[in-house]
Amino acid sequence: MSKLQNFLKGIIKENPVLVLVLGTCPTLAITTSVMNALGMGVAATAVLLCSNMAVSALRNVIPDKVRIPCYIVLIAGFVTIVEMIMHAFVPDLYESLGIFLSLIVVNCIILGRAEMYASKNKVVDSALDALGMGVGFTLALFIMSSIREIFGAGTWCGLAIPFAGDYKVMILTMAPGGFFVFGCLIALVNKLTGKKGENKKNMGCAGCPSAYMCGKKDSDGACGGEGEDK
Amino acid sequence: MEMLRSLTIILLTSVLVNNYVLSRFLGICPFLGVSKKLNQACGMGMAVTFVMLMATAATWPIQYYLLDPNDLGYMRTIVFILVIAALVQLVEIILKRYIPALHASLGIYLPLITTNCAVLGVTINNINDGYNFLESMVNSLGAGLGFLLAMVLFAGVRSRLESANPPKAFEGLPITLVSAAIVALSFFGFAGIVDGLFA
């Protein structure tokens, strides 16, 4: 795969949010305004880039059996750095992202890319993969937050929109609106790509980094929800 | 009496009003992934409640007796996630050895919980909200029960969804999310309940 393809796949073909359906918690929670979404996207991309590069550089050093705890420590370290930087330079954004900034640690996308890609590939490839995935994540957050902010609050990036401001659908900025817009957006992507049903597979164990920890990746166990009871 | 009242308010708030899944968006992955069958939803919900209580019991003293006195507040994220990960492993080993019956029913869900953001979220929230130890434990219990409630309710909704016939593009995940939106909407009805009960 060429370097360019490696970068681009994260943006459209394997978009982490809309196609792989990873990292749903921050996607639903912080897309109430465009600024929050961009801040979250940039923060997560920075962590993803650093952690992918570090995991890739250390892939021959980290023993296989304790790799997940090692990745978690690396990721938590980078998250703390990003948190401190944001606290110092963009305190408003730090406040509005709140707990979700710390929760980047358990974002499926980051651990998932470390496990699925960075642990097997060279540093440059891993960095490109991280950038692509990060941009894809940010783009998905941007689209979703634009919909929710324009129709829900009548503004965009804090700027008042003349017509939409008169017909606000307040519910879109609240919790149910998050689920609803996300569902419709995924349906739209399904419609456009014509790949119905593929999401279902990725929603289960294959797309979940925990799957590697519980060893249920192939056996389609409890976490998949698709398999029968054991 | 005053304390009992404030604890009840904390419990009801975190179960109903600020439900961790449906209004704070924590723990969405297991909510969508494991809610297909009622017994799995129950198992996951109970495992999460259990781990949340254990994690709070472990992280609260660490924050106040280890990190704060040594001015290490910035290490919170790293320390908490490691403590939770170690704790989950430990609980699994202990259950397997001493209470195999419980391990058989909860065991398969435990490894999944390490990366569950609701668990890390509730421990961090307890610190951010300045709860004392008892309040933290009650809040964690409420968060866990709220998760269980949401899982069980949603498992019921999803079993109905199986026989529904949505448009092609909505099949699978999208229709699940849209129905989650309606379930979340129903939880809005609880918004005033805490003030109303204790007015």
Side-chain angles (χ1 to χ4, degrees):
Chain A
M1 199 190 292
S2 76
K3 298 253 185 289
L4 185 68
Q5 272 177 324
N6 192 10
F7 171 67
L8 288 177
K9 76 173 189 300
I11 300 177
I12 300 160
K13 213 176 93 203
E14 293 181 22
N15 188 300
V17 179
L18 298 173
V19 181
L20 300 180
V21 200
L22 295 173
T24 34
C25 302
T27 307
L28 290 166
I30 53 86
T31 49
T32 47
S33 80
V34 176
M35 289 316 280
N36 280 357
L38 289 179
M40 184 68 188
V42 172
T45 306
V47 174
L48 186 55
L49 182 62
C50 295
S51 76
N52 249 15
M53 284 166 73
V55 166
S56 173
L58 294 170
R59 70 186 187 281
N60 296 325
V61 183
I62 296 175
D64 200 43
K65 281 199 166 153
V66 291
R67 65 187 193 287
I68 300 279
C70 292
Y71 299 160
I72 292 180
V73 176
L74 281 171
I75 294 168
F78 290 122
V79 168
T80 308
I81 295 170
V82 168
E83 258 183 308
M84 290 166 100
I85 292 174
M86 287 183 80
H87 199 174
F89 294 105
V90 275
D92 291 345
L93 198 59
Y94 177 83
E95 287 297 321
S96 62
L97 291 181
I99 193 173
F100 283 94
L101 209 50
S102 313
L103 290 179
I104 296 178
V105 180
V106 282
N107 190 317
C108 308
I109 298 170
I110 292 167
L111 193 58
R113 288 331 282 175
E115 170 73 31
M116 285 186 236
Y117 196 89
S119 61
K120 303 182 194 84
N121 289 284
K122 294 203 178 81
V123 176
V124 179
D125 291 327
S126 300
L128 284 172
D129 176 74
L131 276 179
M133 286 289 163
V135 172
F137 180 61
T138 314
L139 194 70
L141 289 187
F142 178 74
I143 295 171
M144 195 166 143
S145 62
S146 297
I147 297 173
R148 287 181 72 184
E149 199 184 329
I150 291 173
F151 293 106
T155 57
W156 190 76
C157 278
L159 306 168
I161 305 275
F163 182 72
D166 301 333
Y167 301 95
K168 283 185 236 175
V169 188
M170 284 296 283
I171 197 79
L172 286 183
T173 61
M174 290 187 263
F179 284 110
F180 183 74
V181 174
F182 192 37
C184 293
L185 218 52
I186 292 179
L188 185 69
V189 171
N190 281 358
K191 184 88 191 164
L192 292 178
T193 54
K195 281 191 302 183
K196 59 160 179 56
E198 193 163 343
N199 286 330
K200 235 179 177 174
K201 186 183 74 200
N202 286 317
M203 209 179 102
C205 277
C208 167
S210 317
Y212 294 88
M213 287 165 95
C214 63
K216 293 225 163 37
K217 192 186 97 189
D218 305 312
S219 60
D220 202 12
C223 60
E226 306 287 327
E228 290 305 308
D229 281 351
K230 295 224 162 139
Chain B
M1 205 58 223
E2 190 56 36
M3 197 174 82
L4 200 63
R5 197 184 141 207
S6 74
L7 291 181
T8 319
I9 291 181
I10 290 175
L11 185 71
L12 284 179
T13 308
S14 58
V15 176
L16 298 175
V17 183
N18 278 334
N19 188 289
Y20 265 68
V21 179
L22 294 170
S23 79
R24 291 197 194 188
F25 296 121
L26 294 169
I28 301 288
C29 301
F31 176 67
L32 295 176
V34 196
S35 62
K36 229 172 183 180
K37 295 212 177 66
L38 190 61
N39 56 350
Q40 289 183 351
C42 283
M44 186 71 182
M46 280 186 276
V48 166
T49 312
F50 184 62
V51 172
M52 273 179 175
L53 283 170
M54 299 285 290
T56 307
T59 53
W60 195 91
I62 288 177
Q63 173 75 25
Y64 285 100
Y65 296 113
L66 192 68
L67 296 182
D68 279 358
N70 296 312
D71 217 9
L72 288 170
Y74 62 89
M75 292 286 283
R76 192 200 294 162
T77 314
I78 301 181
V79 172
F80 278 22
I81 186 76
L82 282 178
V83 167
I84 292 170
L87 195 76
V88 171
Q89 288 292 320
L90 201 67
V91 167
E92 204 196 352
I93 293 168
I94 293 174
L95 283 186
K96 203 172 187 175
R97 175 71 182 79
Y98 293 106
I99 324 174
L102 195 61
H103 181 261
S105 55
L106 298 187
I108 42 169
Y109 305 106
L110 284 173
L112 287 171
I113 293 172
T114 317
T115 48
N116 181 340
C117 52
V119 177
L120 183 63
V122 77
T123 56
I124 294 178
N125 262 345
N126 283 333
I127 307 297
N128 284 348
D129 293 347
Y131 288 146
N132 65 30
F133 186 70
L134 197 59
E135 288 171 338
S136 299
M137 292 304 282
V138 170
N139 187 38
S140 307
L141 178 68
L145 291 179
F147 184 82
L148 180 64
L149 178 69
M151 291 284 280
V152 169
L153 280 180
F154 199 53
V157 173
R158 274 187 93 163
S159 65
R160 289 292 185 94
L161 216 54
E162 298 267 289
S163 52
N165 193 13
K168 264 228 147 58
F170 271 92
E171 270 170 18
L173 188 56
I175 192 72
T176 311
L177 282 163
V178 172
S179 42
I182 298 168
V183 177
L185 195 62
S186 71
F187 268 68
F188 264 39
F190 292 118
I193 194 169
V194 170
D195 301 330
L197 270 180
F198 296 98

